[in-house]
Amino acid sequence: METRSIAIDGPSGAGKSTLARMTAQKRGIIYVDTGALYRSVGLYALRRGVGSKDEPGVTALLPEIELEMKYGDAGDLRVLLCGEDVTEEIRIPEASIYASDVSALPAVRAFLLQTQRDMAVRGDVIMDGRDIGTVVLPNAGVKIFLTAQPEIRARRRYDELIAAGRAVTYDDVLRDINYRDKNDSSRAAAPLKAAEDAVVFDTTELDLNESFLRLIELIDEGLSAKGEIRYKDDAAI
Ligand code: DC
C-alpha cells in the first residue's frame, strides 16, 4: 500500500513535536521525531569526547551508530542509540547544542537521510524536523512550516524544562534558541527554510489547543486539495 506523509518543519521550540504527537494520536498514524535522531548522533559524539564541529571526528563515528525508534509501554516514542534508551538524555542542553552543530555536517545529514525515509514507508506518518518538506519527503501529502516569535518559543521550552525538573533559566533557553535558529538557518547543508509549497503557520498568538485545532484544519485542507484524505477519526471524511 502506498503510504502518505505529513511534513512539519520549523525552528526550535515552535511546538512541532507536541503538535505532531497529538496529531499522530488523533489520526492513528506514526510520529517520527527526526530531531531525536540528530540529538542521538550529537549525544554519541559528546560521550565519545569528539567536538561537535570536528567533521572528520564525527564522520568517523557514524559507522558505529545504530538508531531505532519505537513506542514504549506508555505509548510514548522512545529512541534507542546502539540499543540504549536515550530518550531523556538527548534533551539535555549540551545535546541540543551538539545536535545543532553535528546537523550542519553533510556526512551526518546523508547518514540520517535514508533512516528517515525508511521510517516513512512503514505506514502513514507525520514527521517533524527542519528539512522534511524540502529534502527528506519532497512529495509529502501536506507540508506545514510551524513558527512563532523566538521569545514565545523560549518561554514554552523553558516551561517544559522546568516542568521536567531541569534547572535552567529563561535567558539560557532564549540564548540556546537564538543560537540554534542562526545555526540551523545559516548552514549550507539543508538549511531550515519553508518548502515552496508549505503552508506557513505562526502560533505566536495561539495556545496549544488552538494551535492543534488549526493544524488539523490545515492538514485536512492540504490533503483534501490533493485528494488524499482517508483517516479513521470523525474529523476526516
Ligand atoms: O527538533 P530538535 O530541536 O529536537 O532538533 C535538534 C537539532 O537537530 C536542531 O538544532 C537541528 C537539527 N535537526 C535538523 O537539522 N534536521 C532535522 N530534520 C531535525 C533536526
Side-chain angles (χ1 to χ4, degrees), residues 152-228:
I152 295 287
R153 290 188 276 120
R155 170 62 56 191
R156 291 176 185 162
R157 182 56 50 96
Y158 169 77
D159 290 345
E160 221 173 70
L161 289 167
I162 291 294
R166 302 251 178 237
V168 289
T169 67
Y170 170 78
D171 287 347
D172 287 343
V173 178
L174 181 61
R175 201 173 313 117
D176 173 59
I177 293 253
N178 284 330
Y179 175 84
R180 292 204 286 148
D181 277 3
K182 189 162 170 283
N183 232 12
D184 297 346
S185 314
S186 63
R187 68 179 177 223
L192 169 66
K193 65 167 195 259
E196 271 175 27
D197 51 348
V199 180
V200 178
F201 176 28
D202 188 319
T203 65
T204 300
E205 306 282 342
L206 304 178
D207 68 19
L208 181 62
N209 206 36
E210 292 164 337
S211 302
F212 181 53
L213 292 175
R214 182 67 189 131
L215 178 66
I216 291 287
E217 278 175 7
L218 291 173
I219 289 172
D220 287 348
E221 282 164 22
L223 292 177
S224 62
K226 287 201 172 181
E228 287 203 21

Side-chain angles (χ1 to χ4, degrees), residues 45 59 96 105 109 112 118 122 132 158 161 175 221 223:
T59 304
S96 300
L105 305 176
R109 304 207 73 82
L112 291 179
D118 289 346
R122 294 190 202 154
I132 308 306
Y158 169 77
L161 289 167
R175 201 173 313 117
E221 282 164 22
L223 292 177

